Amino acid sequence: MMITKPDAADVAMILTELADVLDSRRESSPQTSYVAQLLQSGEDKILKKVIEEAGEVLMASKDGNKHHLIKEVADVWFHTMVLLTYHQIRVEEVLQELQQRQHVSGLAEKASRQPQ
């Protein structure tokens, strides 16, 4: 299977469209929407899913199965976006932060962070 690299506009569109769907699930019934269940269960439930999925990423990486790793990373991204939705943070805000860091050395960016 040949994978074509999407351009930045396509990536942003995919993430924005997913964020729109997640936002719309706020009004959905938890009986019919997994996202609505998570959002209505609260932050702790969402955080547990993010951690669970992150652990599955680690295991998939250790297993060395590329397809499995891709699926698990997609799950982490999805649940992280649910967390952003819970906090009413748009994916565009995260993309903007990444864009601002794009031409900054990782070491310089880390050194510039204020202790919290």
Side-chain angles (χ1 to χ4, degrees):
M1 179 170 136
M2 189 162 114
I3 302 293
T4 58
K5 181 179 175 186
D7 65 22
D10 290 338
V11 171
M13 183 182 69
I14 291 166
L15 293 173
T16 299
E17 287 177 358
L18 177 55
D20 290 343
V21 169
L22 295 175
D23 281 340
S24 75
R25 295 299 193 263
R26 285 183 180 283
E27 308 303 320
S28 297
S29 166
Q31 285 75 34
T32 60
S33 169
Y34 172 68
V35 172
Q37 285 178 10
L38 286 174
L39 292 172
Q40 292 184 19
S41 293
E43 183 179 30
D44 286 348
K45 176 73 171 177
I46 299 167
L47 291 171
K48 286 178 184 175
K49 284 303 297 181
V50 171
I51 292 298
E52 175 188 324
E53 298 299 342
E56 292 176 11
V57 166
L58 296 175
M59 298 306 293
S61 178
K62 288 290 193 179
D63 289 346
N65 181 322
K66 181 179 175 180
H67 182 69
H68 186 210
L69 180 58
I70 290 167
K71 290 177 74 170
E72 295 302 341
V73 168
D75 287 345
V76 168
W77 287 9
F78 175 83
H79 286 91
T80 300
M81 288 184 68
V82 172
L83 181 64
L84 292 173
T85 301
Y86 177 82
H87 287 285
Q88 298 182 348
I89 298 171
R90 288 289 302 186
V91 68
E92 293 87 350
E93 294 174 72
V94 177
L95 293 173
Q96 183 178 11
E97 177 65 23
L98 289 171
Q99 185 178 34
Q100 289 172 353
R101 295 181 185 187
Q102 190 170 6
H103 298 290
V104 177
S105 157
L107 295 174
E109 189 279 328
K110 187 174 180 179
S112 72
R113 294 183 196 169
Q114 299 295 321
Q116 296 181 357

